[in-house]
Amino acid sequence: AQSVTQLDSQVPVFEEAPVELRCNYSSSVSVYLFWYVQYPNQGLQLLLKYLSGSTLVESINGFEAEFNKSQTSFHLRKPSVHISDTAEYFCAVTLRGGNTPLVFGKGTRLSVIA
Amino acid sequence: GAGVSQSPSNKVTEKGKDVELRCDPISGHTALYWYRQSLGQGLEFLIYFQGNSAPDKSGLPSDRFSAERTGGSVSTLTIQRTQQEDSAVYLCASSFHRGTAEAFFGQGTRLTVV
């Protein structure tokens, strides 16, 4: 079965600094990968996803993630964070074309400091 | 509806009582998920419904947990003989097709067992 590891439970970072949230997955077959974000007191919403094609995917608010098959990673990056990026970020994986659920990591709490 | 709707938003119950949590998915979505979110534990998969297929119940933590989906739409998650460790936020999500499309989440039901 597939699994997801988010290596950092909390990441504090100063405003306008770059950030990387790490995600590694384990699967013996091809996967789809997702990053979801949960802002304080709100529900989860999709940030970006990798299904196929270009391994670099971007969100509308400046985040990007790169699918690295050899390292089984899908790290999330932003070159300059804002206070409004403070949230919990979840990496998720599901098997391509299979009947398997969307499996989430334990989440990384990003705190942006002014 | 405009989004995934869950009710109640908050539920406090006494240990040993049964509870029912309701999820109204987005109209037309064939896939429906239940997850449990506990502090520091990320999103724990509970059960998955896809169209008329048999549900994937592999994530249910015990036989006190069950779920049904009537008419391919509304779903009810039932927890019998609640225990304090059942306290968590229960999240419902729906999508057009698992693995390839975005999963839309409800706001969740916060269950507190006292």
Side-chain angles (χ1 to χ4, degrees), chain B residues 12-68:
Chain B
V12 180
T13 189
E14 292 181 350
K15 178 181 174 181
K17 300 281 189 183
D18 297 352
V19 295
E20 285 189 351
L21 312 180
R22 177 186 168 103
C23 173
D24 279 280
I26 294 173
S27 177
H29 280 190
T30 58
L32 187 147
Y33 297 85
W34 282 99
Y35 291 88
R36 179 167 69 177
Q37 185 176 21
S38 306
L39 191 63
Q41 296 300 313
L43 274 76
E44 177 187 4
F45 166 73
L46 298 177
I47 189 169
Y48 167 81
F49 296 90
Q50 169 63 299
N52 295 321
S53 302
D56 179 347
K57 303 180 182 180
S58 61
L60 294 178
S62 76
D63 58 9
R64 296 187 296 105
F65 288 73
S66 63
E68 62 178 22

Short mmCIF file of all heavy atoms in Angstrom, two decimals, chain B residues 12-68:
data_model
loop_
_atom_site.label_atom_id
_atom_site.label_comp_id
_atom_site.label_asym_id
_atom_site.label_seq_id
_atom_site.Cartn_x
_atom_site.Cartn_y
_atom_site.Cartn_z
N VAL B 12 -21.06 17.07 20.95
CA VAL B 12 -20.52 16.61 22.22
C VAL B 12 -21.40 15.47 22.68
O VAL B 12 -22.63 15.60 22.72
CB VAL B 12 -20.50 17.73 23.28
CG1 VAL B 12 -19.94 17.20 24.59
CG2 VAL B 12 -19.68 18.92 22.79
N THR B 13 -20.79 14.35 23.01
CA THR B 13 -21.57 13.19 23.41
C THR B 13 -20.92 12.53 24.61
O THR B 13 -19.71 12.69 24.86
CB THR B 13 -21.69 12.19 22.24
OG1 THR B 13 -22.63 11.17 22.59
CG2 THR B 13 -20.35 11.53 21.95
N GLU B 14 -21.72 11.77 25.33
CA GLU B 14 -21.20 11.05 26.49
C GLU B 14 -20.61 9.72 26.04
O GLU B 14 -21.13 9.07 25.12
CB GLU B 14 -22.31 10.82 27.51
CG GLU B 14 -22.81 12.08 28.16
CD GLU B 14 -23.90 11.80 29.18
OE1 GLU B 14 -24.40 10.65 29.22
OE2 GLU B 14 -24.27 12.72 29.92
N LYS B 15 -19.58 9.34 26.73
CA LYS B 15 -18.95 8.04 26.46
C LYS B 15 -20.00 6.94 26.48
O LYS B 15 -20.86 6.91 27.38
CB LYS B 15 -17.87 7.79 27.50
CG LYS B 15 -17.16 6.47 27.37
CD LYS B 15 -16.13 6.32 28.48
CE LYS B 15 -15.51 4.93 28.47
NZ LYS B 15 -14.51 4.76 29.56
N GLY B 16 -19.96 6.08 25.47
CA GLY B 16 -20.89 4.97 25.41
C GLY B 16 -22.10 5.20 24.53
O GLY B 16 -22.81 4.25 24.16
N LYS B 17 -22.35 6.47 24.19
CA LYS B 17 -23.49 6.78 23.33
C LYS B 17 -23.12 6.55 21.86
O LYS B 17 -21.95 6.56 21.49
CB LYS B 17 -23.91 8.25 23.51
CG LYS B 17 -24.33 8.60 24.91
CD LYS B 17 -25.74 8.14 25.21
CE LYS B 17 -26.21 8.70 26.53
NZ LYS B 17 -27.56 8.23 26.89
N ASP B 18 -24.13 6.39 21.02
CA ASP B 18 -23.93 6.29 19.58
C ASP B 18 -24.08 7.68 18.95
O ASP B 18 -24.88 8.49 19.43
CB ASP B 18 -24.96 5.36 18.95
CG ASP B 18 -24.86 3.93 19.46
OD1 ASP B 18 -23.89 3.61 20.19
OD2 ASP B 18 -25.76 3.13 19.12
N VAL B 19 -23.32 7.92 17.87
CA VAL B 19 -23.46 9.20 17.16
C VAL B 19 -23.56 8.92 15.66
O VAL B 19 -23.01 7.93 15.17
CB VAL B 19 -22.31 10.17 17.43
CG1 VAL B 19 -22.29 10.61 18.87
CG2 VAL B 19 -20.97 9.57 17.02
N GLU B 20 -24.25 9.82 14.98
CA GLU B 20 -24.34 9.77 13.52
C GLU B 20 -23.87 11.09 12.95
O GLU B 20 -24.33 12.16 13.37
CB GLU B 20 -25.77 9.50 13.08
CG GLU B 20 -26.22 8.08 13.28
CD GLU B 20 -27.57 7.81 12.62
OE1 GLU B 20 -28.22 8.78 12.16
OE2 GLU B 20 -27.97 6.65 12.57
N LEU B 21 -22.98 11.02 11.98
CA LEU B 21 -22.45 12.21 11.32
C LEU B 21 -22.88 12.15 9.86
O LEU B 21 -22.79 11.09 9.22
CB LEU B 21 -20.92 12.24 11.41
CG LEU B 21 -20.32 11.99 12.79
CD1 LEU B 21 -18.81 12.06 12.73
CD2 LEU B 21 -20.86 12.94 13.82
N ARG B 22 -23.32 13.28 9.35
CA ARG B 22 -23.90 13.30 8.01
C ARG B 22 -23.03 14.07 7.03
O ARG B 22 -22.41 15.07 7.40
CB ARG B 22 -25.29 13.93 8.06
CG ARG B 22 -25.99 14.07 6.73
CD ARG B 22 -27.29 14.84 6.89
NE ARG B 22 -27.84 15.24 5.59
CZ ARG B 22 -28.86 14.61 5.00
NH1 ARG B 22 -29.43 13.57 5.59
NH2 ARG B 22 -29.31 15.02 3.83
N CYS B 23 -23.02 13.59 5.78
CA CYS B 23 -22.27 14.27 4.73
C CYS B 23 -23.12 14.36 3.46
O CYS B 23 -23.62 13.33 2.98
CB CYS B 23 -20.97 13.52 4.40
SG CYS B 23 -20.08 14.17 2.97
N ASP B 24 -23.29 15.57 2.95
CA ASP B 24 -23.94 15.79 1.67
C ASP B 24 -22.86 16.17 0.66
O ASP B 24 -22.32 17.28 0.72
CB ASP B 24 -24.96 16.94 1.76
CG ASP B 24 -26.26 16.50 2.36
OD1 ASP B 24 -27.07 15.92 1.63
OD2 ASP B 24 -26.44 16.74 3.57
N PRO B 25 -22.56 15.28 -0.28
CA PRO B 25 -21.48 15.59 -1.23
C PRO B 25 -21.96 16.57 -2.30
O PRO B 25 -23.14 16.89 -2.38
CB PRO B 25 -21.17 14.23 -1.85
CG PRO B 25 -22.49 13.52 -1.82
CD PRO B 25 -23.15 13.97 -0.54
N ILE B 26 -21.05 17.02 -3.10
CA ILE B 26 -21.40 17.88 -4.23
C ILE B 26 -22.20 17.06 -5.24
O ILE B 26 -21.83 15.91 -5.54
CB ILE B 26 -20.13 18.47 -4.88
CG1 ILE B 26 -19.45 19.42 -3.88
CG2 ILE B 26 -20.45 19.17 -6.19
CD1 ILE B 26 -18.10 19.93 -4.33
N SER B 27 -23.27 17.64 -5.73
CA SER B 27 -24.15 16.94 -6.65
C SER B 27 -23.37 16.42 -7.87
O SER B 27 -22.61 17.16 -8.50
CB SER B 27 -25.26 17.88 -7.11
OG SER B 27 -26.09 17.24 -8.06
N GLY B 28 -23.57 15.14 -8.17
CA GLY B 28 -22.90 14.55 -9.33
C GLY B 28 -21.58 13.88 -9.03
O GLY B 28 -21.06 13.15 -9.87
N HIS B 29 -21.03 14.13 -7.85
CA HIS B 29 -19.77 13.47 -7.49
C HIS B 29 -20.04 12.01 -7.16
O HIS B 29 -20.89 11.69 -6.35
CB HIS B 29 -19.13 14.17 -6.29
CG HIS B 29 -18.38 15.41 -6.66
ND1 HIS B 29 -17.56 16.07 -5.76
CD2 HIS B 29 -18.31 16.10 -7.82
CE1 HIS B 29 -17.03 17.12 -6.37
NE2 HIS B 29 -17.47 17.16 -7.62
N THR B 30 -19.26 11.13 -7.80
CA THR B 30 -19.49 9.70 -7.60
C THR B 30 -18.65 9.14 -6.46
O THR B 30 -18.96 8.10 -5.91
CB THR B 30 -19.15 8.93 -8.88
OG1 THR B 30 -17.78 9.19 -9.24
CG2 THR B 30 -20.07 9.35 -10.02
N ALA B 31 -17.57 9.82 -6.11
CA ALA B 31 -16.69 9.32 -5.06
C ALA B 31 -16.91 10.11 -3.77
O ALA B 31 -17.08 11.33 -3.80
CB ALA B 31 -15.23 9.44 -5.50
N LEU B 32 -16.90 9.40 -2.65
CA LEU B 32 -17.08 10.03 -1.34
C LEU B 32 -16.14 9.38 -0.35
O LEU B 32 -16.06 8.15 -0.29
CB LEU B 32 -18.53 9.90 -0.86
CG LEU B 32 -18.91 10.65 0.42
CD1 LEU B 32 -20.37 11.11 0.33
CD2 LEU B 32 -18.69 9.83 1.67
N TYR B 33 -15.42 10.22 0.40
CA TYR B 33 -14.45 9.75 1.40
C TYR B 33 -14.85 10.23 2.80
O TYR B 33 -15.40 11.31 2.95
CB TYR B 33 -13.08 10.39 1.18
CG TYR B 33 -12.36 10.10 -0.10
CD1 TYR B 33 -12.61 10.83 -1.25
CD2 TYR B 33 -11.34 9.15 -0.13
CE1 TYR B 33 -11.89 10.60 -2.40
CE2 TYR B 33 -10.62 8.91 -1.28
CZ TYR B 33 -10.90 9.64 -2.41
OH TYR B 33 -10.17 9.41 -3.56
N TRP B 34 -14.50 9.44 3.81
CA TRP B 34 -14.51 9.89 5.21
C TRP B 34 -13.09 9.78 5.75
O TRP B 34 -12.40 8.76 5.54
CB TRP B 34 -15.43 9.03 6.07
CG TRP B 34 -16.89 9.33 5.94
CD1 TRP B 34 -17.81 8.66 5.19
CD2 TRP B 34 -17.61 10.37 6.61
NE1 TRP B 34 -19.04 9.22 5.36
CE2 TRP B 34 -18.96 10.27 6.23
CE3 TRP B 34 -17.25 11.37 7.52
CZ2 TRP B 34 -19.95 11.12 6.70
CZ3 TRP B 34 -18.23 12.22 7.99
CH2 TRP B 34 -19.57 12.09 7.58
N TYR B 35 -12.66 10.85 6.43
CA TYR B 35 -11.36 10.88 7.09
C TYR B 35 -11.56 11.34 8.53
O TYR B 35 -12.56 12.00 8.85
CB TYR B 35 -10.39 11.86 6.41
CG TYR B 35 -9.93 11.46 5.05
CD1 TYR B 35 -10.67 11.81 3.92
CD2 TYR B 35 -8.77 10.72 4.86
CE1 TYR B 35 -10.25 11.45 2.65
CE2 TYR B 35 -8.34 10.36 3.60
CZ TYR B 35 -9.08 10.73 2.50
OH TYR B 35 -8.67 10.36 1.24
N ARG B 36 -10.58 11.03 9.37
CA ARG B 36 -10.57 11.52 10.74
C ARG B 36 -9.28 12.31 10.93
O ARG B 36 -8.19 11.83 10.56
CB ARG B 36 -10.63 10.34 11.71
CG ARG B 36 -10.59 10.73 13.16
CD ARG B 36 -10.97 9.58 14.05
NE ARG B 36 -9.99 8.50 14.07
CZ ARG B 36 -10.10 7.42 14.84
NH1 ARG B 36 -11.16 7.28 15.62
NH2 ARG B 36 -9.19 6.48 14.80
N GLN B 37 -9.43 13.50 11.49
CA GLN B 37 -8.27 14.36 11.72
C GLN B 37 -8.09 14.59 13.21
O GLN B 37 -8.94 15.18 13.87
CB GLN B 37 -8.43 15.71 11.00
CG GLN B 37 -7.20 16.60 11.10
CD GLN B 37 -7.34 17.88 10.30
OE1 GLN B 37 -8.44 18.33 9.97
NE2 GLN B 37 -6.21 18.49 9.96
N SER B 38 -6.99 14.07 13.72
CA SER B 38 -6.65 14.27 15.13
C SER B 38 -5.38 15.09 15.20
O SER B 38 -4.55 15.04 14.29
CB SER B 38 -6.43 12.93 15.83
OG SER B 38 -7.55 12.09 15.66
N LEU B 39 -5.20 15.79 16.31
CA LEU B 39 -4.03 16.65 16.48
C LEU B 39 -2.76 15.83 16.35
O LEU B 39 -2.58 14.82 17.03
CB LEU B 39 -4.09 17.33 17.85
CG LEU B 39 -3.08 18.45 18.07
CD1 LEU B 39 -3.32 19.58 17.08
CD2 LEU B 39 -3.16 18.98 19.50
N GLY B 40 -1.90 16.26 15.43
CA GLY B 40 -0.62 15.57 15.25
C GLY B 40 -0.69 14.26 14.49
O GLY B 40 0.34 13.62 14.29
N GLN B 41 -1.87 13.87 14.07
CA GLN B 41 -2.03 12.58 13.37
C GLN B 41 -2.37 12.73 11.91
O GLN B 41 -2.54 11.74 11.22
CB GLN B 41 -3.11 11.74 14.07
CG GLN B 41 -2.76 11.36 15.48
CD GLN B 41 -1.49 10.54 15.55
OE1 GLN B 41 -1.30 9.59 14.80
NE2 GLN B 41 -0.59 10.94 16.43
N GLY B 42 -2.50 13.93 11.43
CA GLY B 42 -2.84 14.10 10.02
C GLY B 42 -4.25 13.63 9.73
O GLY B 42 -5.12 13.63 10.59
N LEU B 43 -4.46 13.22 8.49
CA LEU B 43 -5.77 12.75 8.06
C LEU B 43 -5.73 11.23 7.94
O LEU B 43 -5.00 10.68 7.14
CB LEU B 43 -6.16 13.35 6.71
CG LEU B 43 -6.84 14.71 6.76
CD1 LEU B 43 -5.83 15.79 7.04
CD2 LEU B 43 -7.58 14.98 5.48
N GLU B 44 -6.55 10.60 8.75
CA GLU B 44 -6.61 9.14 8.76
C GLU B 44 -7.78 8.70 7.88
O GLU B 44 -8.93 9.05 8.15
CB GLU B 44 -6.80 8.66 10.19
CG GLU B 44 -6.96 7.17 10.35
CD GLU B 44 -7.32 6.80 11.79
OE1 GLU B 44 -7.52 7.72 12.61
OE2 GLU B 44 -7.43 5.60 12.07
N PHE B 45 -7.49 7.93 6.85
CA PHE B 45 -8.53 7.43 5.96
C PHE B 45 -9.44 6.46 6.72
O PHE B 45 -8.96 5.58 7.44
CB PHE B 45 -7.90 6.73 4.77
CG PHE B 45 -8.84 5.88 3.97
CD1 PHE B 45 -9.78 6.47 3.14
CD2 PHE B 45 -8.80 4.50 4.05
CE1 PHE B 45 -10.66 5.70 2.41
CE2 PHE B 45 -9.67 3.71 3.32
CZ PHE B 45 -10.61 4.31 2.50
N LEU B 46 -10.73 6.60 6.56
CA LEU B 46 -11.69 5.70 7.19
C LEU B 46 -12.38 4.80 6.18
O LEU B 46 -12.31 3.57 6.27
CB LEU B 46 -12.73 6.51 7.98
CG LEU B 46 -12.20 7.36 9.13
CD1 LEU B 46 -13.35 8.14 9.76
CD2 LEU B 46 -11.51 6.50 10.17
N ILE B 47 -13.08 5.41 5.21
CA ILE B 47 -13.87 4.62 4.28
C ILE B 47 -14.05 5.40 2.99
O ILE B 47 -14.01 6.63 2.99
CB ILE B 47 -15.24 4.24 4.89
CG1 ILE B 47 -15.99 3.22 4.02
CG2 ILE B 47 -16.08 5.49 5.13
CD1 ILE B 47 -17.21 2.61 4.73
N TYR B 48 -14.25 4.67 1.90
CA TYR B 48 -14.38 5.28 0.58
C TYR B 48 -15.55 4.62 -0.16
O TYR B 48 -15.66 3.39 -0.20
CB TYR B 48 -13.09 5.09 -0.19
CG TYR B 48 -13.18 5.39 -1.66
CD1 TYR B 48 -13.11 6.70 -2.11
CD2 TYR B 48 -13.37 4.37 -2.60
CE1 TYR B 48 -13.21 6.99 -3.46
CE2 TYR B 48 -13.47 4.66 -3.94
CZ TYR B 48 -13.39 5.97 -4.37
OH TYR B 48 -13.49 6.27 -5.70
N PHE B 49 -16.38 5.45 -0.81
CA PHE B 49 -17.46 4.98 -1.66
C PHE B 49 -17.19 5.47 -3.09
O PHE B 49 -16.85 6.62 -3.30
CB PHE B 49 -18.81 5.56 -1.21
CG PHE B 49 -19.25 5.13 0.14
CD1 PHE B 49 -18.90 5.87 1.27
CD2 PHE B 49 -20.04 4.00 0.32
CE1 PHE B 49 -19.31 5.50 2.53
CE2 PHE B 49 -20.46 3.61 1.59
CZ PHE B 49 -20.08 4.36 2.70
N GLN B 50 -17.38 4.59 -4.07
CA GLN B 50 -17.23 4.98 -5.47
C GLN B 50 -18.38 4.37 -6.25
O GLN B 50 -18.42 3.14 -6.46
CB GLN B 50 -15.89 4.53 -6.04
CG GLN B 50 -15.76 4.65 -7.55
CD GLN B 50 -15.84 6.08 -8.07
OE1 GLN B 50 -16.84 6.78 -7.91
NE2 GLN B 50 -14.77 6.54 -8.71
N GLY B 51 -19.31 5.21 -6.66
CA GLY B 51 -20.44 4.74 -7.45
C GLY B 51 -21.16 3.61 -6.76
O GLY B 51 -21.47 3.66 -5.57
N ASN B 52 -21.42 2.56 -7.52
CA ASN B 52 -22.14 1.40 -6.99
C ASN B 52 -21.22 0.28 -6.51
O ASN B 52 -21.70 -0.80 -6.14
CB ASN B 52 -23.08 0.85 -8.07
CG ASN B 52 -24.18 1.83 -8.44
OD1 ASN B 52 -24.71 2.51 -7.56
ND2 ASN B 52 -24.49 1.93 -9.72
N SER B 53 -19.92 0.55 -6.53
CA SER B 53 -18.97 -0.47 -6.09
C SER B 53 -19.04 -0.66 -4.58
O SER B 53 -19.49 0.23 -3.85
CB SER B 53 -17.54 -0.07 -6.47
OG SER B 53 -17.42 0.11 -7.86
N ALA B 54 -18.59 -1.83 -4.13
CA ALA B 54 -18.52 -2.07 -2.69
C ALA B 54 -17.56 -1.07 -2.06
O ALA B 54 -16.49 -0.79 -2.62
CB ALA B 54 -18.05 -3.49 -2.43
N PRO B 55 -17.90 -0.49 -0.91
CA PRO B 55 -17.03 0.51 -0.30
C PRO B 55 -15.72 -0.09 0.18
O PRO B 55 -15.66 -1.26 0.54
CB PRO B 55 -17.87 1.03 0.87
CG PRO B 55 -18.86 -0.03 1.16
CD PRO B 55 -19.15 -0.71 -0.14
N ASP B 56 -14.70 0.72 0.17
CA ASP B 56 -13.39 0.35 0.73
C ASP B 56 -13.41 0.73 2.21
O ASP B 56 -13.31 1.90 2.55
CB ASP B 56 -12.30 1.10 -0.03
CG ASP B 56 -10.89 0.80 0.50
OD1 ASP B 56 -10.77 0.22 1.60
OD2 ASP B 56 -9.92 1.18 -0.17
N LYS B 57 -13.53 -0.27 3.06
CA LYS B 57 -13.67 -0.04 4.50
C LYS B 57 -12.36 -0.27 5.24
O LYS B 57 -12.35 -0.37 6.48
CB LYS B 57 -14.71 -0.99 5.08
CG LYS B 57 -16.08 -0.91 4.45
CD LYS B 57 -17.04 -1.90 5.11
CE LYS B 57 -18.40 -1.88 4.45
NZ LYS B 57 -19.33 -2.84 5.09
N SER B 58 -11.28 -0.33 4.50
CA SER B 58 -10.02 -0.77 5.09
C SER B 58 -9.49 0.14 6.19
O SER B 58 -8.66 -0.27 7.00
CB SER B 58 -8.96 -0.92 4.00
OG SER B 58 -8.73 0.31 3.35
N GLY B 59 -9.98 1.38 6.26
CA GLY B 59 -9.48 2.31 7.25
C GLY B 59 -10.29 2.39 8.53
O GLY B 59 -9.89 3.06 9.49
N LEU B 60 -11.41 1.73 8.59
CA LEU B 60 -12.24 1.81 9.79
C LEU B 60 -11.47 1.21 10.97
O LEU B 60 -11.01 0.07 10.89
CB LEU B 60 -13.57 1.08 9.59
CG LEU B 60 -14.50 1.70 8.54
CD1 LEU B 60 -15.76 0.86 8.39
CD2 LEU B 60 -14.86 3.14 8.92
N PRO B 61 -11.35 1.95 12.08
CA PRO B 61 -10.49 1.50 13.18
C PRO B 61 -11.05 0.36 14.01
O PRO B 61 -10.28 -0.35 14.66
CB PRO B 61 -10.31 2.76 14.02
CG PRO B 61 -11.49 3.62 13.70
CD PRO B 61 -11.88 3.30 12.30
N SER B 62 -12.36 0.20 14.02
CA SER B 62 -12.95 -0.90 14.78
C SER B 62 -14.35 -1.15 14.25
O SER B 62 -14.87 -0.39 13.44
CB SER B 62 -13.00 -0.55 16.28
OG SER B 62 -14.07 0.35 16.53
N ASP B 63 -14.97 -2.23 14.75
CA ASP B 63 -16.32 -2.55 14.28
C ASP B 63 -17.37 -1.63 14.89
O ASP B 63 -18.56 -1.76 14.61
CB ASP B 63 -16.66 -4.01 14.55
CG ASP B 63 -16.56 -4.38 16.02
OD1 ASP B 63 -16.39 -3.47 16.85
OD2 ASP B 63 -16.67 -5.57 16.33
N ARG B 64 -16.95 -0.69 15.73
CA ARG B 64 -17.89 0.31 16.24
C ARG B 64 -18.19 1.37 15.17
O ARG B 64 -19.15 2.12 15.30
CB ARG B 64 -17.33 0.99 17.48
CG ARG B 64 -17.14 0.07 18.67
CD ARG B 64 -16.73 0.84 19.93
NE ARG B 64 -15.43 1.49 19.80
CZ ARG B 64 -15.26 2.80 19.62
NH1 ARG B 64 -16.31 3.61 19.54
NH2 ARG B 64 -14.04 3.31 19.52
N PHE B 65 -17.35 1.41 14.16
CA PHE B 65 -17.49 2.40 13.09
C PHE B 65 -18.16 1.75 11.87
O PHE B 65 -17.78 0.65 11.45
CB PHE B 65 -16.13 2.93 12.66
CG PHE B 65 -15.47 3.85 13.65
CD1 PHE B 65 -14.93 3.35 14.83
CD2 PHE B 65 -15.41 5.21 13.41
CE1 PHE B 65 -14.33 4.20 15.76
CE2 PHE B 65 -14.79 6.07 14.33
CZ PHE B 65 -14.26 5.56 15.49
N SER B 66 -19.12 2.45 11.29
CA SER B 66 -19.74 1.99 10.06
C SER B 66 -20.20 3.21 9.28
O SER B 66 -20.34 4.31 9.82
CB SER B 66 -20.92 1.06 10.34
OG SER B 66 -21.93 1.75 11.04
N ALA B 67 -20.40 3.01 7.99
CA ALA B 67 -20.88 4.11 7.15
C ALA B 67 -21.73 3.54 6.04
O ALA B 67 -21.53 2.40 5.60
CB ALA B 67 -19.72 4.91 6.57
N GLU B 68 -22.68 4.34 5.61
CA GLU B 68 -23.48 3.97 4.46
C GLU B 68 -23.69 5.19 3.58
O GLU B 68 -23.56 6.34 4.03
CB GLU B 68 -24.82 3.37 4.89
CG GLU B 68 -25.71 4.30 5.68
CD GLU B 68 -27.04 3.63 6.03
OE1 GLU B 68 -27.09 2.39 6.04
OE2 GLU B 68 -28.02 4.36 6.26
#
